[in-house]
Amino acid sequence: MDPAMEDVLDTVGPRLRALRHTRDITLAGLSATTGVSESTLSRLESGQRRATLELLLRLSHVYDVPLDDLVGAPRAGDPRIHLKPIRRFGMTFVPLSRRPGGTQAFKMIIPARPEPLEPTPQTHEGFEWLYVLSGTLRLVVGERDWTVRADNAAEFDTSLPHWLGSADGGAVELLVLFDMQGARAHVHSGRAPRKKS
């Protein structure tokens, strides 16, 4: 048998005993409720007997817990994205999407600095949409210079010289959608970002 499966099965007995004690149920009471003999339940809890699906389903019903929780089975298909931050240009980019190509999502963190940086615009293919989660972003695109506050969004063609930084030296956190093909990720609202004061 697979060692990982063996480990799961070895924890079933102690898990069942702990659950019964937590619910303050005696072996006799559990036996009366499930129709399973006290000796079978005792051997099951002590690990002297392997649980069958029929036994586990009865216990799952009595304890009112999902079968997977009852046995501590590993979840099939981990839905979590294991984030691996990337540090570039003094900023942190946390990838939120895993598939290659197409639109990519990132959380971007611009650290606080005693003195705000001077813009050093860059260009590359693509189109970017961003949403400021916290802080105040300074966004320079071409000849235009905007301040984008928390809870506001902006989008721009990255083939234009552009730069993102802190407007006031404080930390800024934002969500970024980037598409190398230049697909627009956001519908225009008809409103331009606020001009920097």
Side-chain angles (χ1 to χ4, degrees), residues 73-137:
R75 302 283 182 210
D78 188 349
R80 297 171 298 167
I81 297 174
H82 299 280
L83 308 174
K84 293 182 181 153
I86 302 162
R87 286 174 180 72
R88 281 193 186 150
F89 315 115
M91 297 178 278
T92 302
F93 298 84
V94 182
L96 301 176
S97 52
R98 293 191 287 189
R99 68 181 177 89
T103 302
Q104 299 295 309
F106 297 89
K107 179 177 182 182
M108 182 176 166
I109 303 163
I110 301 170
R113 298 184 182 279
E115 294 289 326
L117 294 175
E118 281 303 309
T120 53
Q122 305 289 323
T123 62
H124 52 86
E125 266 189 64
F127 196 85
E128 193 166 306
W129 177 87
L130 58 86
Y131 178 82
V132 180
L133 296 167
S134 65
T136 305
L137 177 72

